[in-house]
């Protein structure tokens, strides 16, 4: 009896934590909600850390204004170095030791796959993974996992359809990362090329995310005689490829992934003159593009950056991505209201219908319990030596 009384007294003293949790949801108190995030502060994908830096800055501002529905957002960010075993370790720490309510916008395809079953088995939302893998849109098998950006498969379809329509006689070479990220693009490209895929796709090469350089792969791709190069790689290797293609005197129509369509992270280190004409899919506005000078959404973004990250390179669209992700989560938490159970948070995250002004015109955030993918529209853009200029119409991958 004395032991029971002692436990009850302790519970009363701990009213600000244990008793304040809503419906027993870990990480949720009357005053805050704790969420977790893994990313690559180190390793081959470390440039993407600017995404979570922007996200962290956004929530710091939001908390200074009182948070969401009276609760501060406590964001715990851990480095996984873009290494799946480390992601497993850090995610387990966030869930089992930090007791976060959910995982938000973790970086990467192989890293996300490494913890997908674990989080789904525990019923922990794995929201808005910073990766376009199509595995994130599988509500029947993995109901607790959602993506954010258009899927890599969809991007591959869009590029393939463009080639099939506009370059029907082209010989296509593809470089991709040797994992599910790269395979998704390959499968999408083949679907987009349609009946001519086997004829047009003349050479495929892969690289490991730990490779120091990709020169040998690029030499082989050029030797294939291809006049179209689909370069599906993360920024480090995309910059290498653009520079090497120019050095070799190879002049293909060059496509890159939206995740590498960054002036600061890719085109500048590659040499802007080497990247003129490079084509990418896009869904967010380029903050350095003068056509958005008077755009209200970009004015709001620049004002935020002036306050929170004045020394950041605005040419890096990854800051826009981090800002976009944070605004989407703010909307989810607002609509979840006072019911911050994991199930209700998931419901709010899979019933979105939202206009975010940093998205290109005609593109919006919309999903459903049957289709988790929030962004399924894209537009082709072409690098002119300074910015990526949109051309053509917005294309839906649905």
């Amino acid at each position: 009896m004395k032991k029971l009384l002692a436990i009850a007294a302790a519970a009363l003293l701990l009213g600000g934590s244990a008793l304040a949790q809503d419906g027993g949801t870990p990480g949720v108190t009357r005053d805050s909600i704790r969420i977790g995030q893994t990313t690559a502060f180190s390793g081959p994908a470390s440039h993407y850390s600017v995404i979570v830096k922007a996200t962290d800055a956004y929530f710091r501002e939001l908390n200074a204004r009182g948070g969401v529905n009276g609760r501060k957002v406590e964001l715990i960010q851990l480095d996984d170095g873009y290494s799946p075993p480390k992601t497993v370790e850090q995610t387990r720490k966030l869930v089992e030791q930090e007791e976060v309510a959910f995982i938000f916008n973790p970086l990467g395809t192989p890293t996300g796959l490494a913890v997908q079953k674990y989080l789904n088995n525990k019923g922990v939302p794995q929201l808005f993974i910073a990766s376009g893998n199509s595995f994130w849109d599988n509500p029947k098998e993995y109901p607790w996992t959602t993506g954010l950006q258009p899927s890599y498969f969809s991007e591959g379809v869009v590029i393939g359809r463009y080639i099939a329509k506009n370059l029907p006689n082209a010989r296509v070479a593809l470089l991709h990362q040797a994992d599910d990220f790269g395979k998704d693009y390959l499968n999408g490209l083949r679907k987009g090329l349609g009946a001519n895929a086997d004829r047009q796709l003349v050479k495929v090469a892969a690289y490991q995310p730990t490779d120091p350089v990709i020169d040998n792969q690029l030499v082989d791709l050029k030797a294939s005689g291809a006049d179209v190069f689909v370069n599906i790689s993360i920024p480090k290797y995309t910059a290498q490829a653009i520079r090497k293609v120019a050095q070799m005197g190879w002049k293909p129509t060059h496509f890159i992934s939206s995740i590498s369509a960054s002036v600061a992270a890719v085109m500048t280190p590659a040499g802007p003159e080497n990247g003129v004409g490079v084509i990418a899919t896009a869904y967010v506005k380029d903050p350095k593009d003068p056509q958005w000078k008077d755009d209200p959404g970009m004015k709001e973004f620049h004002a935020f950056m002036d306050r929170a990250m004045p020394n950041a390179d605005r040419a890096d669209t990854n800051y826009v991505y981090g800002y976009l992700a944070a605004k989407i989560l703010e909307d989810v938490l607002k609509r979840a209201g006072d019911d911050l159970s994991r199930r209700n948070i998931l419901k709010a995250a899979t019933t979105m219908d939202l206009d975010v002004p940093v998205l290109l015109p005609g593109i919006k955030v919309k999903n459903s319990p049957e289709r988790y993918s929030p962004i399924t529209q894209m537009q082709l853009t072409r690098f002119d030596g300074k910015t990526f200029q949109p051309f053509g119409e917005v294309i839906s991958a649905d």
Side-chain angles (χ1 to χ4, degrees):
M1 177 63 72
K2 289 182 179 180
K3 184 175 182 181
L4 290 174
L5 288 173
I7 293 172
L12 288 173
L13 291 172
L14 294 171
S17 56
L19 295 183
Q21 290 185 357
D22 292 346
T25 304
V28 178
T29 73
R30 292 189 184 94
D31 302 318
S32 67
I33 177 168
R34 185 183 307 122
I35 63 180
Q37 186 175 60
T38 55
T39 195
F41 285 111
S42 61
S46 59
H47 178 76
Y48 288 124
S49 64
V50 302
I51 294 172
V52 297
K53 291 173 183 177
T55 302
D56 181 61
Y58 186 94
F59 286 124
R60 287 179 186 276
E61 276 208 349
L62 185 66
N63 288 339
R65 300 195 302 268
V68 181
N69 297 331
R71 285 187 176 88
K72 302 293 179 66
V73 178
E74 183 184 351
L75 178 61
I76 302 176
Q77 301 173 317
L78 299 182
D79 181 23
D80 65 7
Y82 199 59
S83 168
K86 189 66 175 179
T87 307
V88 172
E89 175 188 333
Q90 298 291 48
T91 300
R92 291 181 69 95
K93 179 178 180 181
L94 287 168
V95 173
E96 298 170 16
Q97 297 180 32
E98 300 292 349
E99 296 189 318
V100 298
F102 58 90
I103 302 297
F104 165 67
N105 199 221
L107 176 72
T109 296
T111 48
L113 289 170
V115 294
Q116 187 178 25
K117 288 184 179 179
Y118 165 76
L119 292 170
N120 276 262
N121 287 340
K122 295 187 74 69
V124 178
Q126 185 185 20
L127 299 185
F128 310 135
I129 300 174
S131 152
N133 196 288
S134 56
F135 291 163
W136 317 142
D137 190 2
N138 187 359
K140 289 185 178 180
E141 189 171 356
Y142 296 107
W144 296 94
T145 297
T146 75
L148 176 58
Q149 66 222 54
S151 74
Y152 301 137
F153 179 84
S154 297
E155 282 197 50
V157 171
V158 168
I159 292 172
R161 286 177 177 165
Y162 177 87
I163 293 170
K165 180 179 179 180
N166 298 280
L167 303 164
N169 298 314
R171 293 168 58 85
V172 182
L174 171 71
L175 174 72
H176 70 86
Q177 190 161 292
D179 57 17
D180 290 292
F181 156 48
K183 293 173 186 176
D184 236 13
Y185 261 109
L186 172 59
N187 292 334
L189 180 69
R190 293 187 66 87
K191 180 177 179 179
L193 290 172
N196 291 327
D198 288 337
R199 177 179 63 81
Q200 287 199 268
L201 192 57
V202 297
K203 183 68 176 179
V204 176
Y207 72 90
Q208 297 291 339
T210 53
D211 289 345
V213 294
I214 53 173
D215 287 6
N216 291 338
Q217 291 93 326
L218 293 170
V219 169
D220 288 344
L221 291 171
K222 181 192 176 187
S224 71
D227 51 8
V228 168
F229 175 31
V230 181
N231 174 11
I232 305 308
S233 56
I234 60 177
K236 170 184 175 181
Y237 301 107
T238 305
Q240 284 186 23
I242 292 171
R243 189 167 54 247
K244 182 65 174 179
V245 165
Q247 290 173 355
M248 292 190 299
W250 187 22
K251 299 184 182 300
T253 301
H254 191 163
F255 293 87
I256 65 173
S257 167
S258 65
I259 66 171
S260 293
S262 169
V263 176
V266 174
M267 309 314 289
T268 298
E273 70 283 357
N274 295 326
V276 173
V278 163
I279 298 173
T281 53
Y283 54 95
V284 298
K285 295 169 184 171
D286 184 340
K288 298 295 284 186
D289 189 336
Q291 72 173 303
W292 310 122
K293 179 182 178 182
D294 297 318
D295 179 78
M298 292 310 289
K299 280 186 173 181
E300 181 183 320
F301 167 77
H302 284 297
F304 159 74
M305 294 295 288
D306 288 341
R307 295 189 305 269
M309 311 182 77
N311 298 319
D313 186 351
R314 308 291 173 88
D316 191 342
T317 52
N318 285 306
Y319 287 107
V320 183
Y321 180 90
Y323 177 85
L324 170 70
K327 288 190 79 70
I328 290 174
L329 183 61
E330 180 186 4
D331 176 76
V332 166
L333 295 177
K334 282 181 178 177
R335 287 186 295 106
D338 286 331
D339 181 2
L340 291 181
S341 63
R342 285 170 168 167
R343 190 163 296 279
N344 197 50
I345 289 170
L346 178 69
K347 179 182 177 181
T350 55
T351 54
M352 299 189 293
D353 190 351
L354 177 66
D355 290 307
V356 184
V358 294
L359 292 171
L360 288 168
I363 298 178
K364 68 183 307 179
V365 177
K366 187 173 184 178
N367 63 358
S368 71
E370 294 73 39
R371 182 184 60 74
Y372 275 10
S373 298
I375 302 174
T376 60
Q377 300 161 298
M378 291 162 282
Q379 188 168 19
L380 291 178
T381 64
R382 184 180 287 109
F383 187 64
D384 65 4
K386 294 182 179 179
T387 63
F388 282 90
Q389 295 289 337
F391 67 93
E393 298 180 351
V394 169
I395 302 170
S396 175
D398 283 340

